[in-house]
Every structure is written in structure tokens, then in C-alpha cells.
Coordinates of all heavy atoms in Angstrom, one line a residue:
M1 N 0.8 -1.2 0.0 CA 0.0 0.0 0.0 C 0.9 1.3 0.0 O 1.3 1.7 1.0 CB -0.9 0.0 1.2 CG -2.1 -0.9 1.1 SD -3.2 -0.8 2.5 CE -3.7 0.9 2.4
S2 N 1.1 1.8 -1.1 CA 2.0 3.0 -1.2 C 1.4 4.2 -0.6 O 2.1 5.2 -0.4 CB 2.3 3.2 -2.7 OG 1.2 3.5 -3.4
V3 N 0.1 4.2 -0.3 CA -0.5 5.4 0.2 C 0.1 5.9 1.5 O 0.0 7.0 1.9 CB -2.0 5.3 0.4 CG1 -2.7 5.0 -0.9 CG2 -2.3 4.2 1.4
W4 N 0.7 4.9 2.2 CA 1.3 5.2 3.5 C 2.5 6.1 3.4 O 3.0 6.8 4.3 CB 1.7 4.0 4.2 CG 0.6 3.1 4.6 CD1 0.2 2.0 3.9 CD2 -0.4 3.3 5.6 NE1 -0.9 1.5 4.5 CE2 -1.3 2.3 5.5 CE3 -0.6 4.3 6.6 CZ2 -2.4 2.2 6.4 CZ3 -1.7 4.3 7.4 CH2 -2.6 3.2 7.3
H5 N 3.1 6.2 2.2 CA 4.4 6.8 2.0 C 4.4 8.0 1.1 O 5.5 8.6 0.8 CB 5.5 5.8 1.5 CG 5.5 4.6 2.4 ND1 6.0 4.6 3.6 CD2 5.1 3.3 2.1 CE1 5.9 3.3 4.1 NE2 5.4 2.6 3.2
T6 N 3.3 8.5 0.7 CA 3.2 9.6 -0.2 C 3.3 10.9 0.6 O 3.6 11.9 0.0 CB 1.9 9.6 -1.1 OG1 0.8 9.4 -0.2 CG2 2.0 8.4 -2.0
G7 N 2.9 10.9 1.9 CA 3.1 12.1 2.7 C 2.1 13.2 2.5 O 2.0 13.7 1.4
G8 N 1.4 13.5 3.6 CA 0.6 14.8 3.6 C -0.8 14.7 3.0 O -1.7 15.3 3.6
T9 N -0.9 14.1 1.9 CA -2.2 14.2 1.2 C -2.8 12.8 1.0 O -3.5 12.6 0.0 CB -2.1 14.9 -0.1 OG1 -1.1 14.3 -0.9 CG2 -1.7 16.4 0.2
T10 N -2.6 11.8 1.8 CA -3.2 10.5 1.6 C -4.6 10.6 2.0 O -5.1 11.5 2.7 CB -2.5 9.5 2.5 OG1 -2.8 9.8 3.9 CG2 -1.0 9.5 2.3
P11 N -5.4 9.6 1.5 CA -6.8 9.5 1.9 C -7.0 9.5 3.5 O -7.9 10.1 4.0 CB -7.3 8.2 1.3 CG -6.4 8.0 0.1 CD -5.0 8.6 0.6
L12 N -6.1 8.8 4.2 CA -6.2 8.8 5.6 C -6.0 10.2 6.2 O -6.7 10.6 7.2 CB -5.1 7.9 6.2 CG -5.4 6.4 6.1 CD1 -4.3 5.6 6.7 CD2 -6.7 6.1 6.9
D13 N -5.1 11.0 5.7 CA -4.9 12.3 6.2 C -6.1 13.2 5.9 O -6.5 14.0 6.8 CB -3.7 13.0 5.5 CG -2.4 12.4 6.0 OD1 -2.4 12.0 7.2 OD2 -1.4 12.5 5.3
R14 N -6.7 13.0 4.8 CA -8.0 13.7 4.5 C -9.0 13.3 5.5 O -9.8 14.2 6.0 CB -8.4 13.5 3.1 CG -7.5 14.3 2.1 CD -8.2 14.5 0.8 NE -8.4 13.2 0.1 CZ -7.4 12.7 -0.7 NH1 -6.2 13.3 -0.9 NH2 -7.6 11.5 -1.3
L15 N -9.1 12.0 5.8 CA -10.1 11.6 6.7 C -9.9 12.1 8.1 O -10.8 12.6 8.8 CB -10.1 10.1 6.7 CG -11.2 9.4 7.6 CD1 -12.6 9.6 6.8 CD2 -11.0 8.0 7.8
K16 N -8.6 12.1 8.5 CA -8.2 12.7 9.8 C -8.6 14.2 9.9 O -9.1 14.6 10.9 CB -6.7 12.5 10.0 CG -6.3 12.9 11.4 CD -4.8 12.5 11.6 CE -4.4 12.8 13.0 NZ -4.3 14.3 13.2
S17 N -8.4 14.9 8.8 CA -8.7 16.3 8.8 C -10.2 16.5 9.0 O -10.7 17.4 9.7 CB -8.4 16.9 7.4 OG -7.0 16.9 7.3
R18 N -11.0 15.6 8.5 CA -12.4 15.6 8.7 C -12.8 15.4 10.1 O -13.6 16.1 10.7 CB -13.1 14.6 7.8 CG -14.6 14.9 7.6 CD -15.3 13.9 6.7 NE -15.3 12.6 7.3 CZ -15.8 11.5 6.6 NH1 -16.1 11.6 5.4 NH2 -15.8 10.4 7.3
Y19 N -12.1 14.4 10.7 CA -12.4 14.1 12.1 C -11.9 15.3 13.0 O -12.5 15.5 14.0 CB -11.6 12.8 12.5 CG -12.3 11.5 12.1 CD1 -11.6 10.4 12.1 CD2 -13.6 11.5 11.8 CE1 -12.2 9.2 11.8 CE2 -14.2 10.3 11.4 CZ -13.5 9.2 11.4 OH -14.1 8.0 11.1
D20 N -10.9 15.9 12.6 CA -10.4 17.0 13.4 C -11.4 18.2 13.5 O -11.3 19.0 14.4 CB -9.0 17.6 12.8 CG -7.9 16.7 13.2 OD1 -8.0 15.9 14.1 OD2 -6.8 16.9 12.5
R21 N -12.3 18.2 12.5 CA -13.3 19.2 12.6 C -14.6 18.7 13.4 O -15.6 19.4 13.5 CB -13.8 19.7 11.2 CG -12.7 20.4 10.5 CD -13.2 21.2 9.3 NE -13.6 20.2 8.3 CZ -12.8 19.8 7.3 NH1 -11.6 20.1 7.3 NH2 -13.2 18.9 6.4
D22 N -14.5 17.5 13.9 CA -15.6 16.9 14.6 C -15.2 16.5 16.0 O -15.2 15.3 16.3 CB -16.1 15.7 13.8 CG -17.3 15.1 14.4 OD1 -18.0 15.8 15.2 OD2 -17.6 13.9 14.2
L23 N -14.7 17.4 16.8 CA -14.2 17.1 18.1 C -15.2 17.5 19.2 O -14.7 17.9 20.3 CB -12.8 17.8 18.3 CG -11.7 17.1 17.5 CD1 -10.5 18.0 17.4 CD2 -11.3 15.8 18.1
R24 N -16.4 17.3 19.0 CA -17.4 17.6 20.0 C -17.6 16.3 20.9 O -17.9 15.2 20.3 CB -18.7 18.0 19.4 CG -19.8 18.4 20.4 CD -21.0 18.8 19.6 NE -22.1 19.2 20.5 CZ -22.9 18.3 21.1 NH1 -22.8 17.0 20.8 NH2 -23.9 18.7 21.9
C25 N -17.4 16.5 22.2 CA -17.5 15.3 23.1 C -19.0 14.8 23.1 O -19.9 15.6 23.3 CB -17.1 15.8 24.5 SG -17.3 14.5 25.7
G26 N -19.1 13.5 23.0 CA -20.4 12.9 23.0 C -21.0 12.8 24.4 O -22.2 12.6 24.6
E27 N -20.1 13.0 25.4 CA -20.6 12.9 26.8 C -21.0 14.3 27.3 O -22.1 14.4 27.9 CB -19.4 12.4 27.7 CG -19.0 11.0 27.5 CD -20.2 10.0 27.9 OE1 -20.8 10.3 28.9 OE2 -20.4 9.0 27.2
C28 N -20.2 15.3 27.2 CA -20.5 16.6 27.8 C -20.8 17.7 26.8 O -21.2 18.8 27.2 CB -19.4 17.0 28.8 SG -17.9 17.5 27.9
G29 N -20.5 17.4 25.5 CA -20.8 18.4 24.5 C -19.7 19.4 24.3 O -19.8 20.3 23.5
Y30 N -18.6 19.3 25.0 CA -17.5 20.2 24.9 C -16.8 20.1 23.5 O -16.6 19.0 23.0 CB -16.5 19.9 26.0 CG -15.2 20.8 25.9 CD1 -15.3 22.1 26.5 CD2 -14.1 20.4 25.3 CE1 -14.2 22.9 26.4 CE2 -13.0 21.2 25.2 CZ -13.0 22.4 25.8 OH -11.9 23.2 25.7
V31 N -16.6 21.2 22.9 CA -15.9 21.2 21.6 C -14.4 21.5 21.8 O -14.1 22.6 22.2 CB -16.6 22.2 20.6 CG1 -15.8 22.1 19.2 CG2 -18.0 21.8 20.4
D32 N -13.6 20.5 21.5 CA -12.2 20.7 21.7 C -11.5 21.3 20.5 O -11.0 20.6 19.6 CB -11.6 19.3 22.0 CG -10.1 19.4 22.4 OD1 -9.6 20.6 22.6 OD2 -9.4 18.4 22.5
E33 N -11.5 22.6 20.4 CA -11.0 23.3 19.2 C -9.6 23.0 18.9 O -9.1 23.0 17.8 CB -11.2 24.8 19.3 CG -12.7 25.2 19.6 CD -13.4 25.4 18.3 OE1 -12.9 25.1 17.2 OE2 -14.6 25.7 18.3
E34 N -8.8 22.9 20.0 CA -7.4 22.7 19.9 C -7.0 21.2 19.8 O -5.8 20.9 19.5 CB -6.7 23.3 21.1 CG -7.0 24.7 21.4 CD -6.4 25.6 20.4 OE1 -5.2 25.5 20.0 OE2 -7.2 26.5 19.8
G35 N -7.9 20.3 19.9 CA -7.6 18.9 20.0 C -7.5 18.3 18.6 O -7.7 18.9 17.6
E36 N -7.1 17.0 18.7 CA -7.0 16.3 17.5 C -7.2 14.8 17.8 O -7.0 14.4 18.9 CB -5.7 16.5 16.7 CG -4.5 16.0 17.6 CD -3.2 16.2 16.8 OE1 -3.2 16.7 15.7 OE2 -2.1 15.7 17.3
W37 N -7.5 14.0 16.8 CA -7.7 12.6 17.0 C -6.3 12.0 16.9 O -5.4 12.3 16.1 CB -8.5 12.0 15.8 CG -9.9 12.4 15.9 CD1 -10.5 13.5 15.3 CD2 -11.0 11.7 16.6 NE1 -11.8 13.5 15.6 CE2 -12.1 12.4 16.4 CE3 -11.0 10.6 17.4 CZ2 -13.4 12.0 17.0 CZ3 -12.2 10.2 18.0 CH2 -13.4 10.9 17.7
Q38 N -6.1 11.0 17.8 CA -4.8 10.2 17.8 C -5.1 9.0 17.0 O -6.0 8.2 17.3 CB -4.5 9.8 19.2 CG -4.3 11.0 20.2 CD -3.1 11.9 19.8 OE1 -2.1 11.4 19.5 NE2 -3.3 13.2 20.0
A39 N -4.4 8.8 15.9 CA -4.6 7.7 15.0 C -3.6 6.6 15.3 O -2.4 6.9 15.5 CB -4.5 8.2 13.6
R40 N -4.0 5.4 15.3 CA -3.1 4.3 15.5 C -3.5 3.2 14.5 O -4.7 2.8 14.4 CB -3.2 3.7 16.9 CG -2.0 2.8 17.2 CD -2.1 2.3 18.6 NE -3.2 1.4 18.8 CZ -3.3 0.4 19.7 NH1 -2.3 0.3 20.6 NH2 -4.3 -0.4 19.8
T41 N -2.6 2.7 13.7 CA -2.8 1.7 12.7 C -2.6 0.3 13.2 O -1.5 0.1 13.8 CB -1.9 2.0 11.5 OG1 -2.1 3.3 11.0 CG2 -2.3 1.0 10.3
T42 N -3.5 -0.5 13.1 CA -3.4 -1.9 13.6 C -3.8 -2.8 12.5 O -5.0 -3.0 12.3 CB -4.2 -2.2 14.9 OG1 -5.5 -1.8 14.6 CG2 -3.7 -1.4 16.0
G43 N -2.9 -3.4 11.7 CA -3.3 -4.3 10.6 C -4.1 -3.6 9.6 O -3.6 -2.6 9.0
D44 N -5.3 -4.1 9.4 CA -6.2 -3.5 8.4 C -7.2 -2.5 8.9 O -8.2 -2.2 8.3 CB -6.9 -4.6 7.6 CG -7.8 -5.4 8.6 OD1 -7.7 -5.2 9.8 OD2 -8.6 -6.2 8.0
R45 N -6.9 -2.0 10.2 CA -7.8 -1.0 10.7 C -7.0 0.2 11.2 O -5.8 0.1 11.5 CB -8.5 -1.5 12.0 CG -9.3 -2.8 11.8 CD -9.9 -3.1 13.1 NE -9.0 -3.0 14.2 CZ -9.4 -3.1 15.5 NH1 -10.7 -3.4 15.7 NH2 -8.6 -3.0 16.5
V46 N -7.7 1.4 11.3 CA -7.1 2.5 12.0 C -8.0 2.9 13.1 O -9.2 3.1 12.9 CB -7.0 3.7 11.0 CG1 -6.4 4.9 11.7 CG2 -6.2 3.3 9.8
D47 N -7.5 2.9 14.3 CA -8.2 3.3 15.5 C -7.9 4.8 15.8 O -6.8 5.2 15.9 CB -7.8 2.5 16.7 CG -8.2 1.0 16.5 OD1 -9.3 0.8 16.0 OD2 -7.5 0.1 16.9
Y48 N -9.0 5.6 15.9 CA -8.9 7.0 16.3 C -9.4 7.1 17.7 O -10.4 6.6 18.1 CB -9.7 7.8 15.4 CG -9.2 7.9 14.0 CD1 -9.6 7.0 13.0 CD2 -8.3 8.9 13.6 CE1 -9.1 7.1 11.7 CE2 -7.8 8.9 12.3 CZ -8.2 8.0 11.4 OH -7.8 8.1 10.1
R49 N -8.7 7.9 18.5 CA -9.0 8.2 19.9 C -9.0 9.7 20.1 O -8.1 10.4 19.7 CB -8.1 7.5 20.9 CG -8.5 6.1 21.2 CD -7.5 5.4 22.1 NE -6.7 6.4 22.8 CZ -6.5 6.3 24.2 NH1 -7.1 5.3 24.8 NH2 -5.8 7.1 24.8
H50 N -9.9 10.2 20.9 CA -9.9 11.6 21.3 C -10.3 11.6 22.8 O -11.3 11.1 23.2 CB -10.8 12.5 20.5 CG -10.9 13.9 21.1 ND1 -12.0 14.3 21.7 CD2 -10.0 14.8 21.1 CE1 -11.8 15.6 22.1 NE2 -10.6 15.9 21.7
L51 N -9.4 12.2 23.6 CA -9.7 12.4 25.0 C -10.3 13.8 25.3 O -9.6 14.8 24.9 CB -8.4 12.2 25.8 CG -8.5 12.4 27.3 CD1 -9.4 11.3 28.0 CD2 -7.1 12.4 28.0
C52 N -11.5 13.8 25.8 CA -12.1 15.1 26.1 C -11.4 15.8 27.3 O -11.3 15.2 28.3 CB -13.6 14.9 26.5 SG -14.4 16.4 27.0
P53 N -10.9 17.0 27.1 CA -10.2 17.7 28.1 C -11.1 18.2 29.2 O -10.6 18.6 30.3 CB -9.5 18.9 27.4 CG -10.3 19.1 26.2 CD -10.9 17.8 25.8
S54 N -12.4 18.2 28.9 CA -13.3 18.8 29.9 C -13.8 17.7 30.9 O -13.8 17.9 32.1 CB -14.5 19.3 29.1 OG -15.5 19.9 30.0
C55 N -14.2 16.5 30.4 CA -14.8 15.5 31.3 C -14.0 14.2 31.3 O -14.2 13.4 32.1 CB -16.2 15.2 30.9 SG -16.4 14.2 29.4
G56 N -13.0 14.1 30.4 CA -12.1 12.9 30.4 C -12.7 11.8 29.6 O -12.1 10.7 29.6
A57 N -13.8 11.9 29.0 CA -14.4 10.8 28.2 C -13.5 10.6 27.0 O -12.9 11.5 26.4 CB -15.8 11.1 27.8
V58 N -13.5 9.3 26.6 CA -12.7 8.9 25.4 C -13.6 8.6 24.2 O -14.5 7.7 24.4 CB -11.7 7.8 25.7 CG1 -11.0 7.3 24.4 CG2 -10.7 8.1 26.8
E59 N -13.5 9.3 23.1 CA -14.3 9.0 21.9 C -13.4 8.1 21.1 O -12.2 8.3 20.9 CB -14.6 10.3 21.2 CG -15.5 11.2 21.9 CD -17.0 10.9 21.5 OE1 -17.3 10.6 20.4 OE2 -17.8 10.9 22.5
R60 N -14.0 7.1 20.5 CA -13.3 6.2 19.6 C -14.0 6.0 18.3 O -15.2 6.0 18.2 CB -13.2 4.8 20.3 CG -12.2 4.7 21.4 CD -11.9 3.2 21.7 NE -10.9 3.1 22.7 CZ -11.2 3.1 24.0 NH1 -12.4 3.3 24.4 NH2 -10.2 3.0 24.9
R61 N -13.2 6.0 17.3 CA -13.7 5.7 15.9 C -12.8 4.6 15.3 O -11.6 4.7 15.5 CB -13.7 6.9 15.0 CG -14.4 8.1 15.6 CD -15.9 8.1 15.3 NE -16.5 9.2 16.1 CZ -16.7 10.4 15.6 NH1 -16.3 10.7 14.4 NH2 -17.2 11.4 16.3
T62 N -13.3 3.7 14.6 CA -12.5 2.7 14.0 C -12.8 2.7 12.5 O -14.0 2.7 12.1 CB -12.8 1.3 14.5 OG1 -12.5 1.3 15.9 CG2 -11.9 0.3 13.9
L63 N -11.8 2.8 11.7 CA -11.9 2.8 10.3 C -11.3 1.5 9.7 O -10.1 1.2 10.1 CB -11.2 4.0 9.7 CG -11.0 4.0 8.2 CD1 -12.4 4.3 7.6 CD2 -10.0 5.0 7.7
K64 N -12.1 0.8 9.0 CA -11.5 -0.4 8.3 C -11.0 -0.1 7.0 O -11.7 0.6 6.2 CB -12.6 -1.5 8.2 CG -13.0 -2.1 9.6 CD -13.9 -3.3 9.4 CE -14.2 -3.9 10.8 NZ -15.3 -4.8 10.7
L65 N -9.8 -0.5 6.7 CA -9.1 -0.2 5.5 C -9.5 -1.3 4.4 O -9.5 -2.5 4.8 CB -7.6 -0.2 5.6 CG -7.1 0.9 6.6 CD1 -5.6 0.7 6.7 CD2 -7.5 2.3 6.1
R66 N -9.7 -0.8 3.2 CA -10.0 -1.8 2.2 C -8.8 -1.8 1.2 O -8.3 -0.8 0.9 CB -11.2 -1.4 1.4 CG -12.5 -1.5 2.2 CD -13.7 -1.2 1.4 NE -14.9 -1.2 2.3 CZ -16.1 -0.8 1.9 NH1 -16.3 -0.5 0.6 NH2 -17.1 -0.8 2.7
R67 N -8.4 -3.0 0.8 CA -7.2 -3.1 0.0 C -7.7 -3.4 -1.4 O -8.7 -4.1 -1.6 CB -6.3 -4.2 0.5 CG -6.0 -3.9 2.0 CD -4.9 -4.8 2.5 NE -4.7 -4.6 3.9 CZ -3.5 -4.6 4.4 NH1 -2.4 -4.7 3.7 NH2 -3.4 -4.5 5.7
Ligands
ZN1 ZN1 -16.5 15.7 27.6

């Protein structure tokens, strides 16, 4: 999968950018303007995590990669 090495404008980066604009906490409604999703790649999935700085709740999203 060469998309991992093209740098900066991969589909995953675009997806992450979309998530970065969606940082409203599902628990308390706090919008973390300064925050970002932490992405971790595990095999054929990408796990995204965001820790709410207001209430400490962890939001998770999982993206399955298609090859
Ligand atoms: Zn919260």
C-alpha cells in the first residue's frame, strides 16, 4: 500500500482532517477546538481516539481499510 508513504495528502490524512473538525464530546458536548484525533494503525484498521479535556471521556472511531 503505497498510500502510507506519499506524505501529507493521503486519503487517511484527509479523513483525519475531517475528524479534526468533529471534536465535540459525546458525553458533555465540549468542543475541543485545539484537539486532534490520535490515530493508530493496527493491521487493516485505523483506530482513532480523542480524550475530552473537559470531562475525560474517550471518543473512539474505527476505520476499516480496504485493499
Ligand atoms: Zn466531555
Side-chain angles (χ1 to χ4, degrees):
M1 282 182 62
S2 61
V3 297
W4 296 104
H5 305 293
T6 53
T9 56
T10 67
L12 282 178
D13 285 334
R14 287 199 292 275
L15 187 71
K16 185 171 182 295
S17 294
R18 199 179 69 186
Y19 281 163
D20 281 344
R21 291 194 292 273
D22 182 25
L23 285 166
R24 184 177 179 278
C25 175
E27 291 294 322
C28 71
Y30 178 83
V31 178
D32 186 9
E33 302 277 1
E34 304 292 311
E36 64 176 3
W37 291 91
Q38 304 293 320
R40 195 179 70 153
T41 306
T42 55
D44 60 352
R45 305 182 315 172
V46 182
D47 292 322
Y48 291 91
R49 271 172 30 124
H50 172 251
L51 178 66
C52 175
S54 180
C55 74
V58 176
E59 292 273 320
R60 284 194 178 87
R61 308 274 170 89
T62 300
L63 173 71
K64 289 186 178 170
L65 300 177
R66 293 185 187 173
R67 306 189 187 220

